Amino acid sequence: MPHKKPLEKEKKTAGEAIRFLFGEAAKSKKYAKKYVQTARKLAMKLKIRMPRELKRQYCKHCYTYFRIGENCRVRVQRGKVVYYCFDCKKYTRIPYK
Ligand SMILES: [Zn+2]
């Protein structure tokens, strides 16, 4: 397949698709990880950034969709929000203002 530069319009559509996939991840426990992975792949393919509010909703190590108190623990540490993933036992740190 010939490689072409993603158009602005495609990027915008992808942004909407990513939000949609996260919405689905929130609804389905069973497929949440798949939705997050798909959303991430889409973002990488079109070289777009993950929307900031979505970045903190999944584990960057294993792509588990965070359900606070259920599959992750949240702590605030020196200006950072620290998520501890029960699935892969790793931390995801997100700075906040
Ligand atoms: Zn994880």
Side-chain angles (χ1 to χ4, degrees):
M1 275 244 294
H3 212 83
K4 65 178 178 81
K5 240 177 113 189
L7 303 162
E8 280 310 307
K9 206 180 143 209
E10 280 182 311
K11 285 190 188 181
K12 199 172 165 271
T13 313
E16 280 160 20
I18 286 165
R19 281 190 169 82
F20 170 78
L21 287 163
F22 268 86
E24 291 301 305
K27 280 185 252 169
S28 166
K29 266 188 209 182
K30 201 174 166 192
Y31 300 113
K33 207 180 262 198
K34 276 257 172 284
Y35 284 125
V36 174
Q37 271 172 330
T38 309
R40 221 184 145 253
K41 267 184 211 159
L42 195 65
M44 280 197 296
K45 199 177 143 204
L46 293 172
K47 295 189 175 75
I48 55 167
R49 243 178 251 201
M50 269 294 196
R52 206 213 259 220
E53 75 273 18
L54 299 181
K55 236 176 177 173
R56 63 188 73 180
Q57 281 174 31
Y58 68 92
C59 172
K60 69 171 182 183
H61 305 283
C62 69
Y63 310 127
T64 290
Y65 184 81
F66 285 150
R67 290 166 198 281
I68 296 163
E70 216 178 291
N71 60 9
C72 74
R73 196 170 59 210
V74 186
R75 283 225 197 106
V76 179
Q77 218 175 57
R78 278 177 261 120
K80 285 188 184 100
V81 186
V82 184
Y83 292 84
Y84 176 69
C85 175
F86 292 169
D87 213 32
C88 66
K89 316 268 189 282
K90 280 178 185 158
Y91 295 94
T92 300
R93 290 175 185 84
I94 296 155
Y96 78 101
K97 277 172 218 161

